């Protein structure tokens, strides 16, 4: 009988996380951050890394203790039951299904100068040939994953070496060729836009969103060797490594700027039609590196699409184990891979590629993924009470305080994604709830309603704050910047307290553990 194969070691798991964190965003992140914060963008990257580390360690304790596939969708089943697990798993699943089409289109946009036949000259949309190439790459992602997790991890490791090496080499070259120390104090000093600018870089400058790829470690936890050590180690190592890469590139970018480029201030720093790193490379005179940068521009989204395809199959598997999707999705191939889940996700990805505008898919991607981070900080506290004696290789100190802080960070990530993203998230959740009611039709007494009631004020509150806040198109911007963050934090504390108190009873928890055999997650389910 086929089983999930625990073939991912520490290095492979770390590279899965690094590969998810470092995508194509590093090509634009340095410019966006300094436009908001000036040289103090360095502090923004440190703040973003620390915030994401706090969030990640809550998942580290859970996943090391319960190394199950599709953890983001699966863990809430054992802390709050089926409705909460559906909400978190459904949004993550929708988001992941949009990732492969997004990354493939990003790849083809980078390839456009070399293959103009991929896009229509007038609209810029994919041509018939471009769609065929996009489908080929999406199928290629599936094929690599279908050959087993060990093969997938090896391919991803090769890609990740390149994704890591290119920005590190660029940082070194920029520092060696031109490094203007005065750029860190002029114009306007080190922090020309103050604390507001530093926090704006963390939020709208994209700093915090640059680290969210660590989630793939949680999704792949069911196939990790020595998970008690490898999972927390991979989470910590990947965030530290990526923070160092981002920080080094930001410092090199600031130092390599020609002072004349800053004559109008940091906020108006612009490179015209060129990408910021292309502009810096040409300004410094290391033109030969442009070809390597172009390679990195393609490898980045390719690697992200590959990892997201693998992670999403585990999310679908987890939703099936939760009873939300058909049991057939739990069937494993001889390679120990949920092949039916890969196939279903591929078909849904095709629908997104062919029927939904690219900008809408991007917005939905952000909306659907960010919410799933809220589950870790709550579950880690609840499981301390529900599984008090279960061995833990990692114990978060002051777990309630850390969990509360991490939940506030997760809520801020949702808020910072903007109103235009949050309202799409609301629609996705409504659709998911309708499907859940259909799935449990005639069995409504099996739904864990009481444990999920905290979701109502949470979704309504974050929607209202987002609508009145400072971020995203269509927001009323009635809550001043700074006060909106304070309001989000205070709101998070209230909801966190309510959510922890809403955990499953010990009786329900023990029944779910016994029924689902969560402590032996490699056992497959055969049939429909």
């Amino acid at each position: 009988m086929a089983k999930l194969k625990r073939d991912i070691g520490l290095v492979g798991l770390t590279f899965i996380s690094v590969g998810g964190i470092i995508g194509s965003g590093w090509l634009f992140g340095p410019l966006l951050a300094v436009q908001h914060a000036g040289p103090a963008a360095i502090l923004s990257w440190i703040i973003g890394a620390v915030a994401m580390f706090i969030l990640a360690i809550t998942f580290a304790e859970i996943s090391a203790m319960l190394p199950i596939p599709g953890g983001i969708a699966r863990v809430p089943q054992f802390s709050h039951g089926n409705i909460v697990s559906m909400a978190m798993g459904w949004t993550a699943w929708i988001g992941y299904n949009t990732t492969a089409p997004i990354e493939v289109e990003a790849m083809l946009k980078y390839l456009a100068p070399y293959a103009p036949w991929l896009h229509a000259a007038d609209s810029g949309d994919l041509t018939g040939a471009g769609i065929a190439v996009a489908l080929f790459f999406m199928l290629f992602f599936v094929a690599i994953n279908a050959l087993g997790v060990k093969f997938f991890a090896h391919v991803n490791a090769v890609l990740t070496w390149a994704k890591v090496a290119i920005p590190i080499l660029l940082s070194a070259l920029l520092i060696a060729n031109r490094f203007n120390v005065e750029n860190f104090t002029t114009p306007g000093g080190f922090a020309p836009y103050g604390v507001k600018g530093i926090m704006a870089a963390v939020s709208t400058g994209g700093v915090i969103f640059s680290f969210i790829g660590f989630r793939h470690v949680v999704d792949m936890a069911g196939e990790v060797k020595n998970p008690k050590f490898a999972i927390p180690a991979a989470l910590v190592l990947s965030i530290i490594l990526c923070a160092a890469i981002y920080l080094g590139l930001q410092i090199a970018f600031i130092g390599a700027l020609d002072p004349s480029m800053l004559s109008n201030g940091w906020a108006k720093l612009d490179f015209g039609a060129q990408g910021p790193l292309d502009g810096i490379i040409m300004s410094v005179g290391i033109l030969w590196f442009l070809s390597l940068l172009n390679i990195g521009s393609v490898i980045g989204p390719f690697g992200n699409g590959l990892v997201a395809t693998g992670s999403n199959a585990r999310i679908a598997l987890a939703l099936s184990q939760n009873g939300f999707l058909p049991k057939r999705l739990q069937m494993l191939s001889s390679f120990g891979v949920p092949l039916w889940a890969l196939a279903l996700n591929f078909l849904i990805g095709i629908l997104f590629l062919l029927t939904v505008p690219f900008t809408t898919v991007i917005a939905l991607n952000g909306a659907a993924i960010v919410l799933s981070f809220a589950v870790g900080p709550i579950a880690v506290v609840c499981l301390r009470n529900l599984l008090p004696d279960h061995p833990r290789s990692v114990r978060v100190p002051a777990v309630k305080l850390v969990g509360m802080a991490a939940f506030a960070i997760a809520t801020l990530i949702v808020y910072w994604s903007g109103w235009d993203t949050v309202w799409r998230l609301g629609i996705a959740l409504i659709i998911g709830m309708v499907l859940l009611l259909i799935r449990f039709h005639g069995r409504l007494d099996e739904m864990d309603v009481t444990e999920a009631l905290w979701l109502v004020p949470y979704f309504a509150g974050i929607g209202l704050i987002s609508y009145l806040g400072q971020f995203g198109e269509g927001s009323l911007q009635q809550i001043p910047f700074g006060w909106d963050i304070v309001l989000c934090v205070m709101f998070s504390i209230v909801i966190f307290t309510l959510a922890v108190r809403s955990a499953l009873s010990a009786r329900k928890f023990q029944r779910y553990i016994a029924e689902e055999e969560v402590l032996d997650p490699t056992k497959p389910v055969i049939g429909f």
Side-chain angles (χ1 to χ4, degrees):
M1 185 175 290
K3 294 183 179 181
L4 287 169
K5 297 182 178 180
R6 293 190 176 274
D7 286 335
I8 306 177
L10 174 59
V11 175
L13 190 63
T14 302
F15 275 23
I16 287 173
S17 182
V18 171
I21 293 173
I22 298 182
S24 55
W26 66 273
L27 299 166
F28 304 96
L31 174 63
L32 294 175
V34 296
Q35 285 176 332
H36 286 87
I42 295 170
L43 299 180
S44 301
W45 287 106
I46 295 173
I47 292 170
V50 171
M52 199 54 67
F53 178 82
I54 293 172
L55 186 56
I57 60 173
T58 64
F59 285 96
E61 176 173 327
I62 297 171
S63 295
M65 177 179 64
L66 300 174
I68 50 183
I72 286 178
R74 192 76 173 125
V75 167
Q77 180 80 7
F78 305 103
S79 63
H80 287 84
N82 47 35
I83 295 180
V84 175
S85 67
M86 180 284 302
M88 301 304 175
W90 166 257
T91 54
W93 187 56
I94 291 295
Y96 280 34
N97 271 312
T98 64
T99 300
I102 287 172
E103 298 297 0
V104 165
E105 287 209 41
M107 285 173 55
L108 299 188
K109 286 183 185 299
Y110 287 124
L111 290 172
Y114 310 99
W117 49 270
L118 292 171
H119 298 85
D122 52 348
S123 64
D125 295 333
L126 289 175
T127 61
I131 291 174
V133 173
L135 293 177
F136 167 78
F137 277 117
M138 290 173 60
L139 186 60
F140 194 32
F141 295 155
V142 172
I144 293 174
N145 276 278
L147 291 175
V149 71
K150 180 181 288 188
F151 181 72
F152 154 77
H154 285 318
V155 173
N156 179 69
V158 173
L159 295 172
T160 303
W161 274 116
K163 292 171 70 173
V164 168
I166 291 173
I168 290 177
L169 179 58
L170 177 58
S171 300
L173 288 171
L174 291 178
I175 292 173
N177 283 273
R178 185 166 70 194
F179 193 77
N180 296 310
V181 178
E182 62 271 20
N183 288 350
F184 292 86
T185 54
T186 57
F190 177 71
Y193 308 113
V195 175
K196 180 178 180 180
I198 294 171
M199 294 309 299
V202 174
S203 54
T204 54
V207 168
I208 197 72
F209 293 96
S210 297
F211 289 98
I212 63 176
F214 79 82
R215 64 187 183 273
H216 296 298
V217 171
V218 182
D219 299 326
M220 304 296 291
E223 291 146 287
V224 177
K225 301 175 187 176
N226 190 15
K228 292 182 179 180
F229 170 74
I231 291 174
L235 285 169
V236 172
L237 287 173
S238 60
I239 290 178
I240 292 175
L241 175 60
C242 293
I245 292 172
Y246 283 132
L247 196 60
L249 186 60
Q250 185 69 77
I251 292 171
F253 180 84
I254 295 171
L257 290 169
D258 189 310
S260 63
M261 297 178 178
L262 303 173
S263 57
N264 295 320
W266 291 97
K268 295 184 178 180
L269 177 63
D270 186 37
F271 292 87
Q274 294 177 323
L277 296 186
D278 296 77
I280 282 288
I281 289 170
M282 294 180 68
S283 173
V284 172
I286 48 175
L287 302 182
W288 62 269
F289 196 85
L290 287 173
S291 298
L292 200 57
L293 186 68
N294 290 334
I295 293 173
S297 300
V298 174
I299 289 177
F302 183 91
N304 279 7
L306 177 66
V307 172
T309 298
S311 289
N312 197 31
R314 279 69 186 177
I315 294 289
L317 172 66
L319 286 171
S320 174
Q321 291 173 328
N322 290 345
F324 184 67
L325 292 179
K327 289 185 177 180
R328 183 175 293 273
L329 299 182
Q330 298 176 50
M331 294 176 62
L332 306 178
S333 71
S334 59
F335 289 101
V337 173
L339 201 55
W340 283 98
L342 282 170
L344 174 63
N345 295 341
F346 175 66
L347 294 176
I348 294 175
I350 290 176
L351 290 176
F352 277 117
L353 179 71
L354 298 180
T355 64
V356 183
F358 186 61
T359 53
T360 303
V361 174
I362 292 176
L364 183 60
N365 177 270
I369 289 177
V370 291
L371 180 67
S372 59
F373 287 98
V375 65
I378 295 172
V380 73
V381 175
C382 294
L383 290 174
R384 283 284 185 94
N385 298 324
L386 293 169
L387 275 177
D389 300 322
H390 194 79
R392 288 168 169 83
S393 59
V394 174
R395 293 185 68 90
V396 176
V399 67
K400 290 185 179 180
L401 182 61
V402 172
M404 191 177 293
F407 183 71
I409 291 168
T411 303
L412 283 170
I413 293 174
V414 177
Y415 170 65
W416 285 335
S417 67
W419 168 246
D420 50 338
T421 294
V422 170
W423 72 260
R424 288 181 171 89
L425 173 60
I427 292 176
L429 285 168
I430 291 172
I431 293 173
M433 184 55 64
V434 171
L435 293 175
L436 182 69
L437 290 173
I438 294 173
R439 182 69 173 167
F440 280 83
H441 179 67
R443 299 182 292 137
L444 297 183
D445 58 318
E446 298 178 17
M447 298 177 66
D448 301 307
V449 177
T450 302
E451 294 84 354
L453 289 177
W454 64 273
L455 291 177
V456 176
Y458 183 54
F459 292 157
I462 195 62
L464 181 61
I465 295 172
S466 179
Y467 182 56
L468 298 174
Q470 295 286 319
F471 298 90
E473 294 182 8
S475 66
L476 299 182
Q477 300 188 4
Q478 294 297 306
I479 306 174
F481 184 87
W483 287 107
D484 56 345
I485 295 177
V486 172
L487 180 60
C488 273
V489 171
M490 298 303 295
F491 171 71
S492 298
I493 292 172
V494 174
I495 297 298
F496 178 84
T497 303
L498 179 61
V500 169
R501 291 180 178 178
S502 301
L504 290 173
S505 65
R507 180 182 58 83
K508 273 191 176 183
F509 171 75
Q510 291 298 333
R511 176 163 60 86
Y512 281 140
I513 287 288
E515 289 177 355
E516 302 291 345
E517 298 184 15
V518 68
L519 299 182
D520 183 18
T522 60
K523 184 177 180 180
V525 177
I526 303 298
F528 184 81

